[in-house]
Amino acid sequence: MLQEKNKTLFTIALTLLVAVSAMGQVSKKFSAGFKYSDGFSKIMLNGKYGFINKEGSLAIPCVFDYSNDFSNNHAIVRNGKKYAIISSNGLPIVDFKYEYLENFSNGLALFKQNGKFGFVDQKGNELVSAEYDFATSFSEGLALVEKNGKVGFIDNKGKVVIDIKYEFGSSFVEGLALIKVNNKFGYINTKGATVIEPIYESATAFSEGLASVKLNGKFGIINKKVKSIVAFEYSNITPFKNGLAVFEKDGNFGLLDNKGNITAQNFQYIEESSEGLFGFKKFGLWGFMDIEGETIVEPIFENIRAFSNGMAVVSVNKKFGYIDTKGKLVVPIIFDNATDYSEGLGAVKYRDTYLFLDQNARERIEITRSLSNQDKIMVKVLDEDSAKKDAFITSIDLD
């Protein structure tokens, strides 16, 4: 496996905290290589989740039945059928008592208890009691709530500030929320005033001052003054991102700019923009193009994922590697799995070993299960000296 030179060996003894079946059998599942977020990456041993840090040390023990990634220094975890929110020290700040939880937004977290939804603050206080049939997290100071089949909006004190009277609604974005009245869609502002009449068959939230709306079976684009920017002649149009939107027309895909001009067309499929590039499909294979529709990476891959930290996962014959934004193959397509780069690291899996690679494709962390003790994992971390040298990922024995 990895060469021992210039590496520091850590053996992490993980407490065995697994349920034992009636036959006395113990799960021996092991998984790592999750993306880093807020400096932590999930790890799972014997069916329990914990977190390692970027030094390869076990920062939070494997004691949870499941966990989300950290976000804004909090993570949602589950034990049994109950959810909690933990901080970066691993301790719960919202107790294990909820049927469902979302992370904090505007200082409050959405929860579900006894089939109803409410909101809890970062001290564990339930500021909005569980009285709603459905709700969404706070956005722009307001949260959508539902009662008896109708939706409205509350503030962070739990006060209803927009009457619960609409057939459907969405969270506020750019000062406007989508609502549905008499089976038609329109938009209201944060005061509850209707600013775009509900006349559309379908609609999206505003993005970059524009929204995709549907009339007479076709999509077009309007601005906040209800001026038509793109004619109603498309099967679908995605929200704008960096001045461009993906459209579908007559079974083909292309790109529109925010003036309504077509900048690219006649593709089998187009993925939305990431780091200035679009993934596209032609002749059954995937490549990347720039915002002008110029091909940057030829369509030679079976599958691709969006760019993150300047790297994108690509696959051929169910094997995975990475390319950079110029199309250069930085990490060979030889791995059983790969995760998107995050916080400067990407993770790959080869057989039972997980490797974290930096953006120069240098191997930084290796994680594998101990052969001598199935309740331990072995973590090897490059020291600072070796990180400055060429340590390209050839240390896996592929023979």
Side-chain angles (χ1 to χ4, degrees):
M1 296 302 296
L2 286 172
Q3 297 173 352
E4 298 288 335
K5 186 178 180 181
N6 293 325
K7 292 179 168 43
T8 304
L9 176 62
F10 292 89
T11 302
I12 300 179
L14 300 179
T15 305
L16 181 61
L17 291 170
V18 297
V20 180
S21 70
M23 297 298 294
Q25 295 177 332
V26 176
S27 169
K28 294 295 182 182
K29 293 181 180 179
F30 165 59
S31 185
F34 300 94
K35 74 174 185 179
Y36 271 93
S37 181
D38 287 350
F40 297 99
S41 176
K42 287 190 297 186
I43 190 166
M44 187 269 283
L45 182 67
N46 298 335
K48 295 287 184 175
Y49 286 81
F51 292 87
I52 59 171
N53 58 26
K54 287 188 174 180
E55 288 71 48
S57 298
L58 187 66
I60 298 174
C62 296
V63 296
F64 306 112
D65 290 340
Y66 186 73
S67 176
N68 289 347
D69 294 323
F70 268 86
S71 177
N72 296 321
N73 298 311
H74 298 105
I76 297 168
V77 295
R78 176 177 58 82
N79 273 334
K81 295 183 179 180
K82 299 297 183 181
Y83 291 83
I85 298 178
I86 62 171
S87 64
S88 55
N89 62 11
L91 298 176
I93 58 174
V94 174
D95 290 336
F96 286 93
K97 62 180 182 179
Y98 296 111
E99 299 162 11
Y100 174 79
L101 270 172
E102 290 186 2
N103 215 327
F104 291 103
S105 176
N106 294 173
L108 295 175
L110 176 68
F111 72 82
K112 183 180 181 182
Q113 193 173 44
N114 299 322
K116 299 290 185 177
F117 291 83
F119 293 88
V120 59
D121 69 14
Q122 295 185 15
K123 295 181 179 179
N125 302 312
E126 294 180 6
L127 294 190
V128 180
S129 61
E131 59 180 288
Y132 296 104
D133 301 327
F134 180 74
T136 64
S137 292
F138 275 85
S139 176
E140 301 188 2
L142 298 174
L144 179 144
V145 294
E146 178 182 342
K147 265 189 177 182
N148 303 320
K150 300 292 185 180
V151 303
F153 292 86
I154 62 172
D155 64 18
N156 58 10
K157 305 296 184 184
K159 179 184 177 182
V160 175
V161 294
I162 298 176
D163 289 343
I164 301 174
K165 63 180 182 179
Y166 299 104
E167 299 165 19
F168 173 84
S170 70
S171 297
F172 276 92
V173 180
E174 297 186 2
L176 297 178
L178 188 65
I179 49 90
K180 186 178 182 182
V181 179
N182 296 326
N183 211 33
K184 298 291 184 179
F185 292 88
Y187 298 86
I188 59 173
N189 63 20
T190 55
K191 303 296 184 182
T194 299
V195 295
I196 298 177
E197 292 295 328
I199 62 172
Y200 301 105
E201 297 155 15
S202 183
T204 67
F206 271 85
S207 176
E208 300 181 359
L210 301 172
S212 172
V213 293
K214 186 178 182 181
L215 270 180
N216 300 320
K218 295 294 183 180
F219 279 90
I221 296 293
I222 61 170
N223 62 18
K224 292 181 180 180
K225 295 181 179 179
V226 205
K227 179 182 178 181
S228 179
I229 304 299
V230 174
F232 289 86
E233 58 185 47
Y234 296 94
S235 303
N236 198 13
I237 306 174
T238 68
F240 276 86
K241 184 177 180 181
N242 298 321
L244 291 171
V246 177
F247 72 81
E248 181 184 3
K249 184 177 182 180
D250 300 327
N252 293 310
F253 289 77
L255 297 178
L256 286 167
D257 68 18
N258 54 17
K259 305 296 183 184
N261 302 309
I262 294 176
T263 63
Q265 58 186 327
N266 298 323
F267 293 91
Q268 282 180 270
Y269 197 79
I270 298 177
E271 294 282 358
E272 292 182 44
S273 172
S274 62
E275 301 190 359
L277 296 176
F278 288 83
F280 70 87
K281 190 177 185 181
K282 264 193 172 183
F283 313 115
L285 295 174
W286 287 90
F288 287 94
M289 62 182 171
D290 63 19
I291 59 176
E292 259 89 55
E294 295 293 324
T295 297
I296 302 300
V297 180
E298 293 293 335
I300 59 174
F301 303 107
E302 288 179 357
N303 283 293
I304 59 172
R305 291 210 291 269
F307 276 91
S308 177
N309 288 187
M311 306 280 271
V313 176
V314 294
S315 68
V316 176
N317 294 328
K318 297 182 180 179
K319 294 294 182 181
F320 299 84
Y322 296 90
I323 61 172
D324 63 18
T325 54
K326 295 181 179 179
K328 178 183 176 182
L329 187 64
V330 180
V331 177
I333 305 174
I334 57 176
F335 295 97
D336 298 325
N337 205 349
T339 63
D340 295 338
Y341 266 75
S342 178
E343 299 186 0
L345 294 173
V348 293
K349 180 179 184 288
Y350 182 74
R351 295 180 181 172
D352 294 325
T353 297
Y354 298 86
L355 301 172
F356 285 92
L357 314 173
D358 66 21
Q359 288 171 280
N360 295 313
R362 291 172 177 166
E363 190 179 296
R364 300 305 301 270
I365 301 172
E366 180 200 302
I367 305 174
T368 190
R369 188 193 288 271
S370 170
L371 294 177
S372 60
N373 186 339
Q374 293 290 287
D375 297 327
K376 292 182 180 180
I377 59 171
M378 308 293 289
V379 180
K380 299 178 182 179
V381 182
L382 274 89
D383 60 29
E384 293 183 1
D385 290 336
S386 61
K388 297 176 183 177
K389 299 177 182 178
D390 184 8
F392 188 66
I393 49 171
T394 55
S395 54
I396 291 182
D397 182 5
L398 300 179
D399 295 329

